[in-house]
Structure formats: structure tokens, C-alpha cells
Amino acid sequence: MYHLLIVDDEPLICQGLSSLLAESGISIDHIYTAHSGYEALDFLRMEQIDLLITDIQMGSMSGIELMQQAKIIKPWVEVIVISAHETFQYAQQAIRLGAKDYLIKPLNNEQLLASVRHVLLHIDKSEHEPEGLLSQLGEDEHFHMQVLLPERDQLLDRLQRADPKSLAGIVAELAGRFNTIISGPYFAVLKLKLNLDSRGKLSGQHEQKKEGYTYTVQDERLLRYAVRNIAAELLNQQWNHSIYEEREQHIAILVQWSDVQYGDSSVDKVNQLEMIGRSLQHNIETYLHLSSVVGISQIFKGMEFINEVYAQAEKALDWSRRFQDHFVFYFGDFKWDIYRESEPDEAEFAAQNNMIVERCRTYIDQNYGQKGLTLNEIAQKNHVSPNYLSYLFKKISGYNLWEYVIKLRMEESKRLLLQTDMRRYEIAESVGYESPEHFSKVFKRYYGVSPSEMKK
């Protein structure tokens, strides 16, 4: 059973789509509706949403902006965009952000239902049995092609270690033999480390029984193949990328942009890399029952920095030693290490992290009443990624970051409600909500009673 969120600034459209989907016979457990992007973000933060259906033009936050923020919060949420405009630019931006469909108003009911069914069909929430999954992969004829053609992987692995004089030759060989074009000029790397012990690792034996399952060498190769397929599906045709296995058996993804692609400022490239990393880790855990760690480099311009992006991704992976409960690491979050030969000791490291969280808390304390406050904005003000800030804030303060924002908003709204004569809409505006109705929903969820009931 799935949870859907419909977002449109026209209430009648939300109501109509909600009724259509509720009566469709599709396995939908709950349908939420929101009339603005900011209201939708609260549902995404507070509820388990599987599919977001959003209009593209809505007041102060567009559907494109909502998608960007939604993907920061939960990168694995699927999205269908609806629009009254057949504008290519909107459609292109939506697809780049991972939208599964782009439908034009007035909507054709059957077309919408077909699109929703198609998306939900591919959200497999069942728990796969490992033997069944491995058997299914083993029957995939394309797997054997991957095993028999390791030369491309070996060339890509050499690329990250090559000296400047060898780069051109390796690039030419990749293009000539495998039609793999490495041209950039902008590059970034994601490296993935699988924890096969979380499911059953071979440890040099022909096979090993662990957690009730028996694994062979072929099983391990199949799992790595499955991971590569997950990565390829996430990156699809919208990204210029190369996926391969390193000699250390990490899986590496080289991402590149042309000048034109990188010049498109409608999408934050670093946020997108983190979204891919988090989605990759999430899907590997969900579908393969394997734990994994992802390291992400910064973005560099120029083939001469190709070694640097690989080294940064490797360094980012190394930080998992200090954070056993965190799984996606962006090198830029730890940039103080660039300027020193050795890592800071534990006390220094803890002080640095505490300072980040304290700055963040101070910023929230001063700005929680701001309309349109987002995690991305808070992270930018503190010069870290949203992913790392969310992790640190919860680890150090004990609060989910947005739970802390809501706590401050609700405590202040309760004070204003009980100690002043301010009207509901005035209180809603003063604590950062666009509409009194949305404020009342959050208030009742938080306190168990509506603002008017508490006032009485």
C-alpha cells in the first residue's frame, strides 16, 4: 500500500485528483493534499511519501523548486509533474531531477492513472529473498557479457592512477575500443564500498553459510552486478557517467559535464551528487539487504585533476571509520583536512562538529519564523551539505533538524495563542506558515488539539 502526495495551488484540482485516485482500485493507503510547495515539504518531512504528484507553477515555490527540496529530504521519492504549459525547458528540468512523467493539463484521467500505476509498479516494497534475487540475476544473459569483458573496467581503473603523460592514451583507448568518451571538462567521482559481511561474505572460501543463506563466488559477483544495475538506473540517460569496479573491488562512478551542461544553474550539481549517493545506498539496503558506504568528491574542471577527484572520493570513504552510523560522505564537508597532512584528533574533530551544530541551532533560533525556510538554506549558511548537517544535528542535539524547527514554531504559536489576542492567521504568519489551514494541521498533529480548542 502506497502513500501519495498531491500538490496544486488550486484546491479543486487536488480534490479531483484525490477522488480519482481513491476510486481507481490502485493499492493506495493514504492520499495527502497540499496547496503550496512549503506545505508539501512538511508532509514530506513528517510522512512516508512514496509518490509526489505536483503542479509546476505554484505561487512562491514552483514545482521544480519543490522537486529539488523533496529530493534533498528523500531522494528516493518518485515524482510525476503536471503542468498547464508544454514548455520544453520545464519538462527538461523536471526530467533532470528524476521526474517519471510530465503530464499536460487538462489531464486525461486514464493517462494519469496509467502513469501512477506504472510508477508504483516499479516501487517494489516487498522484502526479496536473497536466493530468489540471486537466481533471477543469474538468469540474466547480460551478466555473462560483463564478466567476459573486464578490459573496460581495468582501463577506467588505470585512469584514476595514471600520470599526466599516460592520460591521453588511456582516454583514446577507452573511446576507440569501448566508445567510452572521457572529455569533461567537469568531473566528479562517487565511490561505493559494499559490506558483504552484512549479508554473507565468502572470506576466501568456496562458499560460506551465514544468516541462513549459502553464498558462492558467483553470488558475490551477481550482487556486484546488481549494484551496478541499480546505479545505472539511477543515473539513466540524464547523466554522462561511467560505472566500473576498481581493483580494490569498490564500485566507482565517474560523472562528467560539458561546459553547456555545467552552465545550467537550474540544478545544484553537488546536491544532485548527494541525492544519487543517498538513493544508491538506500536502494542497495532495500533491495539487496546489503549495507554500503558512498564517498563523493568535489567537482573539478580539467582532465589534469582526474586523479584528485578519485582521491577525494576515496578519502571521503575513509571517514566512515569515524561515523559508523552514517553512510554518505561528501569531501567538501571535511574540507579543513585539505590544509593539513594529518587528520584532526578526536577532541578536535568533536569540537569542529559541535561548532557546526551550534551555528546551525543559532541560525534556526533566529530564523524559524521565516516563511520558506529550508534545510538547504540552513546548510548553505553553515557551509556544509544538507545530508551531513542533518546527520550531525540529530547525533549531537538528539533532534531531527526539522523537528527542532517545528518545536520552536509550535512553542511560540502556543505562547501567542494563550498570551495574546492575535488571530490564527496572524500567528501562522509570525511563525513561518503560509496559510492558517496548514498551520492548524501541524498544530493539531503536534499538540493533539486544534488552535481553537486549545484557546478554549
Side-chain angles (χ1 to χ4, degrees), residues 233-249:
E233 185 173 339
L234 282 171
L235 289 148
N236 59 57
Q237 299 302 314
Q238 301 304 315
W239 291 76
N240 187 348
H241 67 280
S242 300
I243 304 170
Y244 67 97
E245 286 187 44
E246 301 179 307
R247 67 178 73 166
E248 293 89 354
Q249 295 190 315

Side-chain angles (χ1 to χ4, degrees), residues 412-439:
E412 176 63 7
S413 62
K414 179 180 179 180
R415 185 190 71 80
L416 294 173
L417 191 69
L418 298 179
Q419 298 180 16
T420 73
D421 294 326
M422 291 175 66
R423 307 292 291 272
R424 184 183 61 151
Y425 75 88
E426 293 173 319
I427 294 174
E429 186 170 348
S430 70
V431 295
Y433 291 102
E434 281 205 321
S435 74
E437 293 75 23
H438 178 44
F439 162 68

